[in-house]
Amino acid sequence: MTRQELIEQIKEKKSFLCVGLDTDIKKIPEHLLKSDDPVFSFNKEIIDATAPYCVAYKPNLAFYESMGVKGWVAFEKTISYINENYPKHFIIADAKRGDIGNTSAMYARTFFEEMSLDSLTVAPYMGEDSVTPFLQYPGKWVILLALTSNKGSHDFQLSEDKDGERLFEKVLRQSQKWGDKDNMMYVVGATQGKMFEDIRKIVPDHFLLVPGIGAQGGSLEEVCKYGMTKDCGLIVNSSRAIIYADKTERFAEVAGQEAKKVAEQMAVQMNALM
Amino acid sequence: MTRQELIEQIKEKKSFLCVGLDTDIKKIPEHLLKSDDPVFSFNKEIIDATAPYCVAYKPNLAFYESMGVKGWVAFEKTISYINENYPKHFIIADAKRGDIGNTSAMYARTFFEEMSLDSLTVAPYMGEDSVTPFLQYPGKWVILLALTSNKGSHDFQLSEDKDGERLFEKVLRQSQKWGDKDNMMYVVGATQGKMFEDIRKIVPDHFLLVPGIGAQGGSLEEVCKYGMTKDCGLIVNSSRAIIYADKTERFAEVAGQEAKKVAEQMAVQMNALM
């Protein structure tokens, strides 16, 4: 998906919501456990219920890999289901990969050629040649970790170099030599509040993928106040607060209602700030 | 596997070789393509031929994931095969994972509980809570990326903070608050030469996992000269130079010979330096 297509989707839907498909077999409604593939059955219903209110889906691979082969099957079926039924939704594999060049090239082949995903989260620690193999596919995106939503983000990401530049700022600045706003986004946690101002000084136009509202406690208003651009420039993810909002047979309906609520808050922000 | 068991294996075999199972279906001998599971068939023969000369195996998950479900099956079969037939070999999942706490906990469950791997490579960018979930399993190890073997290692890992501490040094120092030499190792590329001296100042006793000899050009002699401790303290990996040494039906035999050659060079270093 191109940047322009993404922006159009966001404007049309008045939503920049991404639904995180962090599907844990231990947390899904009991009645689904009887089906052949409970994780896929859950995802399918969640997707059908939330699709009108979101522009993206983000399965976190850890949840699928934790189930071994079965999980990998559920993951592939989920991706196919979205591509076939909701081809305008942007799909993010939350994988946080990053390896030496030839290995990153293998990952790129998997996720972009074989699976038709739109984007992949990548960890920056190993530098340029771990990231650039993912940038060779037109219409595909790298979403590079910059300033994450967790407590441990303070351990290294905030450390300042001799010139006062913090590591996440160096990542934002350096990586612009490898890609541009048409094939690169950045992960910035919603819990980082005013830091969005500093980030927008370095990447004024890039899209930011923002996890951390809902269960992790970040504020949508703050994120929009400091991070929104004239093209929106934000994809805000919510996982647990939507997909596990209800544990009965009505889970999908309630998930849809929760997604709708978030989308309505997003429309307010877009009307005010864009 | 405990640290003491690993040291005993190394001393008994006079080898600290790890064979990297970076098995690429495009590079394995043609006659294997007829078998039901070519990747597993290849691994099985490589393992049988090299087991006497190495103490560890390191499948890089990217190579398996690139094949989707089939690759995941081959990976699981490979791990079971090593555990059943060579239970004293140390198994490293080269996965370079690292995510927020609840997600890292999922990964830990997959790799340590369900798959009986001994260790997992982890990326440090997200800090403490992305690493500690892996440290809760007795006899299991985190192998944290410190100074990698690739060119991009210079982009961020060498950046100096206000006090002159480089990022990889900060990773080494900080992470010692989370684990110790009994459950943590570090990845240091063989291409980093004299840097091993600086690293040993911060982690004098920890084991280092050293990729980058062979195809990537690092020198075994230099690594030993600057990195070896009285307990050896090194696991040196070779992948392509061993597993793809021959492409005929004799591939496994030749791989065994190559592994033996490296092990003999290692014995010389151990006799001289330990």
Side-chain angles (χ1 to χ4, degrees), chain A residues 12 16 19 25 53 77 81 85 93 121 131 139 145 151 153 181 183 188-189 191 207 217 228 262 273-274:
Chain A
E12 203 178 298
F16 44 98
V19 173
I25 191 137
Y53 313 113
K77 279 159 73 179
Y81 187 77
N85 296 281
T121 59
V131 176
L145 302 186
K151 190 163 156 276
S153 64
K181 65 179 182 177
N183 61 4
V188 180
T191 50
F207 264 87
M228 192 173 272
V262 181
L273 297 167
M274 270 173 69

Side-chain angles (χ1 to χ4, degrees), chain B residues 36-143:
Chain B
D36 278 350
D37 186 340
V39 166
F40 175 65
S41 301
F42 178 83
N43 286 353
K44 190 172 165 299
E45 289 197 49
I46 290 283
I47 292 163
D48 288 337
T50 56
Y53 313 113
C54 69
V55 294
Y57 288 104
K58 179 173 77 65
N60 186 323
L61 270 165
F63 288 81
Y64 300 86
E65 289 181 329
S66 75
M67 297 173 58
V69 172
K70 259 190 265 175
W72 203 253
V73 171
F75 177 74
E76 290 191 356
K77 279 159 74 179
T78 301
I79 302 309
S80 298
Y81 187 77
I82 301 169
N83 276 324
E84 279 161 28
N85 296 281
Y86 305 100
K88 289 185 174 175
H89 282 67
F90 187 79
I91 310 180
I92 302 163
D94 197 359
K96 301 188 176 70
R97 297 300 193 265
D99 208 311
I100 63 171
N102 75 322
T103 310
S104 278
M106 295 286 289
Y107 275 130
R109 204 166 82 191
T110 311
F111 291 116
F112 292 158
E113 289 184 19
E114 289 173 26
M115 293 199 167
S116 293
L117 293 154
D118 294 295
S119 63
L120 185 79
T121 58
V122 176
Y125 193 75
M126 292 182 69
E128 179 169 2
D129 56 315
S130 70
V131 176
T132 48
F134 296 106
L135 295 169
Q136 314 307 319
Y137 294 83
K140 305 291 183 181
W141 299 73
V142 162
I143 309 183

Side-chain angles (χ1 to χ4, degrees), chain A residues 62 65-66 68-69 72 96-97 99 103 106-107 109-110 114 125-126 128-129 146 150 152 155 157 160-161, chain B residues 62 65-66 68-69 72 96-97 99 103 106-107 110 114 125-126 128-129 146 150 152 155 157 160-161:
Chain A
E65 290 181 328
S66 75
V69 172
W72 203 252
K96 302 189 176 67
R97 297 299 193 265
D99 208 313
T103 311
M106 297 285 291
Y107 274 129
R109 205 167 79 191
T110 311
E114 290 174 25
Y125 192 75
M126 293 181 69
E128 179 170 1
D129 56 314
N150 64 321
D155 289 328
Q157 297 166 26
E160 274 180 41
D161 72 8
Chain B
E65 289 181 329
S66 75
V69 172
W72 203 253
K96 301 188 176 70
R97 297 300 193 265
D99 208 311
T103 310
M106 295 286 289
Y107 275 130
T110 311
E114 289 173 26
Y125 193 75
M126 292 182 69
E128 179 169 2
D129 56 315
N150 64 321
D155 289 328
Q157 296 166 25
E160 275 181 39
D161 72 7

Side-chain angles (χ1 to χ4, degrees), chain A residues 46-271:
Chain A
I46 290 283
I47 292 162
D48 289 336
T50 56
Y53 313 113
C54 69
V55 293
Y57 287 105
K58 178 173 76 65
N60 186 323
L61 269 165
F63 288 80
Y64 299 86
E65 290 181 328
S66 75
M67 297 173 59
V69 172
K70 258 188 268 176
W72 203 252
V73 171
F75 177 73
E76 291 190 357
K77 279 159 73 179
T78 301
I79 302 308
S80 299
Y81 187 77
I82 301 170
N83 275 323
E84 279 161 28
N85 296 281
Y86 305 99
K88 289 185 175 175
H89 282 67
F90 187 78
I91 310 181
I92 301 162
D94 197 359
K96 302 189 176 67
R97 297 299 193 265
D99 208 313
I100 63 172
N102 76 321
T103 311
S104 278
M106 297 285 291
Y107 274 129
R109 205 167 79 191
T110 311
F111 291 115
F112 292 158
E113 289 184 19
E114 290 174 25
M115 294 200 168
S116 293
L117 293 153
D118 293 295
S119 63
L120 185 79
T121 59
V122 176
Y125 192 75
M126 293 181 69
E128 179 170 1
D129 56 314
S130 69
V131 176
T132 48
F134 296 106
L135 295 170
Q136 314 308 317
Y137 296 82
K140 304 292 183 181
W141 298 74
V142 162
I143 309 183
L144 199 62
L145 302 186
L147 188 55
T148 56
S149 58
N150 64 321
K151 190 163 156 276
S153 64
H154 293 246
D155 289 328
F156 306 118
Q157 297 166 26
L158 296 182
S159 66
E160 274 180 41
D161 72 8
K162 291 173 291 190
D163 308 315
E165 186 174 51
R166 289 167 290 187
L167 180 59
F168 76 91
E169 292 169 319
K170 194 188 292 278
V171 167
L172 293 170
R173 190 176 47 76
Q174 285 262 87
S175 61
Q176 288 184 68
K177 297 177 195 158
W178 315 334
D180 57 33
K181 65 179 182 177
D182 290 311
N183 61 4
M184 207 176 244
M185 302 185 186
Y186 298 97
V187 174
V188 180
T191 50
Q192 302 294 351
K194 277 197 78 173
M195 297 285 246
F196 277 83
E197 272 189 324
D198 298 339
I199 286 163
R200 281 298 180 208
K201 286 178 196 155
I202 311 173
V203 287
D205 294 320
H206 283 70
F207 264 87
L208 307 178
L209 171 65
V210 184
I213 65 159
Q216 292 181 66
S219 146
L220 179 65
E221 287 69 26
E222 273 210 338
V223 168
C224 294
K225 184 172 171 193
Y226 300 114
M228 192 173 272
T229 69
K230 64 178 188 341
D231 295 321
C232 184
L234 299 170
I235 296 177
V236 171
N237 183 76
S238 178
S239 303
R240 289 170 268 178
I242 290 178
I243 70 174
Y244 300 131
D246 182 272
K247 306 235 172 163
T248 69
E249 302 205 355
R250 288 184 56 237
F251 75 96
E253 188 191 334
V254 178
Q257 288 161 3
E258 288 302 312
K260 190 177 177 208
K261 267 188 230 165
V262 181
E264 283 166 356
Q265 292 163 18
M266 287 178 166
V268 171
Q269 297 295 327
M270 287 174 75
N271 288 333

Side-chain angles (χ1 to χ4, degrees), chain B residues 179-198:
Chain B
D180 56 33
K181 65 179 183 178
D182 290 311
N183 61 6
M184 207 176 245
M185 303 185 186
Y186 298 97
V187 173
V188 181
T191 48
Q192 302 292 353
K194 276 197 79 175
M195 296 285 247
F196 277 83
E197 272 188 325
D198 298 340

Side-chain angles (χ1 to χ4, degrees), chain B residues 166-181:
Chain B
R166 289 166 289 188
L167 179 60
F168 76 91
E169 292 170 320
K170 193 187 292 275
V171 167
L172 292 170
R173 189 176 48 75
Q174 285 263 85
S175 61
Q176 288 184 68
K177 297 177 196 159
W178 316 333
D180 56 33
K181 65 179 183 178

